[in-house]
């Protein structure tokens, strides 16, 4: 018997493209959310990098910011700098309700993982507080994790790690100390599903690492054996 599901899915995709054509978030050209020209303008993070935060670092040694960082997280990796077209793409996903942007961004994460493997057997998105979720209607990190899960085959657990304290967005805080204080004790892991697991923590942007590190602490308190962060872009 012929499986018609892939054909039906393809027809649905064609119909949606006709009704809601894709426009490049960088230049406005019709066709893809990030056209080929704008894709070439993205700023990749290439080795050598700091083994802890993943920012570019000569000789691949710990950067000055990580030397004295008593981090819970084992490491953070990102394929791109947070600038230009990538900044706009994340903005559209995060604040303009362009949820379809999650698929092409997750593909970029997947392509990065093929050449830069990161330890992980389960994907966990950085959670939103329920107040922020009600305001936005979705969690962009969950969308990224689900799309990446489809590509990698890794399971996604997005209802175990929770944010129990509401706080201002990290981008609005002035210093690393404020950001760390902002998320101290903000996260908890509600059950033992991640015990003895290697967790790959998914988020959109990495600035100071305070949020990712707080999440890692909660996950390890719940029994995770390792926690690595994988984010779309890093501020440099």
């Amino acid at each position: 018997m012929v499986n018609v599901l892939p054909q039906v899915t393809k027809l649905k995709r064609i119909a949606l493209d006709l009704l809601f054509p894709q426009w490049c978030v960088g230049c406005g050209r019709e066709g893809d959310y990030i056209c080929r020209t704008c894709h070439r303008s993205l700023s990749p993070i290439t080795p050598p990098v700091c083994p802890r935060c993943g920012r570019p670092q000569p000789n691949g040694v710990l950067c000055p910011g990580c030397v004295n960082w008593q981090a819970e997280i084992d490491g953070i990796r990102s394929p791109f700098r947070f600038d230009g077209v990538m900044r706009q793409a994340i903005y559209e996903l995060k604040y303009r309700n362009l949820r379809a942007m999650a698929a092409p961004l997750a593909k970029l994460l997947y392509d990065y993982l093929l050449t830069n493997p990161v330890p992980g057997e389960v994907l966990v998105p950085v959670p939103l507080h329920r107040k922020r979720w009600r305001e936005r209607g979705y969690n962009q990190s969950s969308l990224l994790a689900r799309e990446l899960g489809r590509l990698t085959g890794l399971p996604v657990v997005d209802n175990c790690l929770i944010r129990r304290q509401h706080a201002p967005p990290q981008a609005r805080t002035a210093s690393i100390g404020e950001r760390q204080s902002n998320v101290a004790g903000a996260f908890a892991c509600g059950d033992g599903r991640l015990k003895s697991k290697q967790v790959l923590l998914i988020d959109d942007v990495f600035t100071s690492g305070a949020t990712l590190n707080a999440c890692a602490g909660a996950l390890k308190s719940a029994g995770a054996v390792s926690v690595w962060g994988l984010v779309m872009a890093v501020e440099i």
Side-chain angles (χ1 to χ4, degrees), residues 28 52 58 84 105 107 112 146 158 161 231:
R52 179 69 54 76
L105 289 181
K107 178 61 165 59
Y112 174 80
R146 290 171 191 169
D158 64 358
L161 181 65
V231 300

Side-chain angles (χ1 to χ4, degrees), residues 117-123 152 154-155 197-201 226-228:
V118 181
E121 56 186 325
V122 60
L123 305 178
T152 61
L154 295 175
K197 298 290 186 181
Q198 292 180 313
V199 174
L200 193 53
L201 191 61
S226 69
V227 181
W228 281 75

Side-chain angles (χ1 to χ4, degrees), residues 41-60:
S41 76
L42 297 176
S43 304
I45 303 292
T46 56
V49 299
C50 171
R52 179 69 54 76
C53 71
R55 288 187 170 98
Q57 177 69 4
N59 302 320

Side-chain angles (χ1 to χ4, degrees), residues 190-203:
D191 54 52
R193 279 177 293 164
L194 298 175
K195 186 176 182 180
S196 302
K197 298 290 186 181
Q198 292 180 313
V199 174
L200 193 53
L201 191 61
I202 306 299
D203 206 2

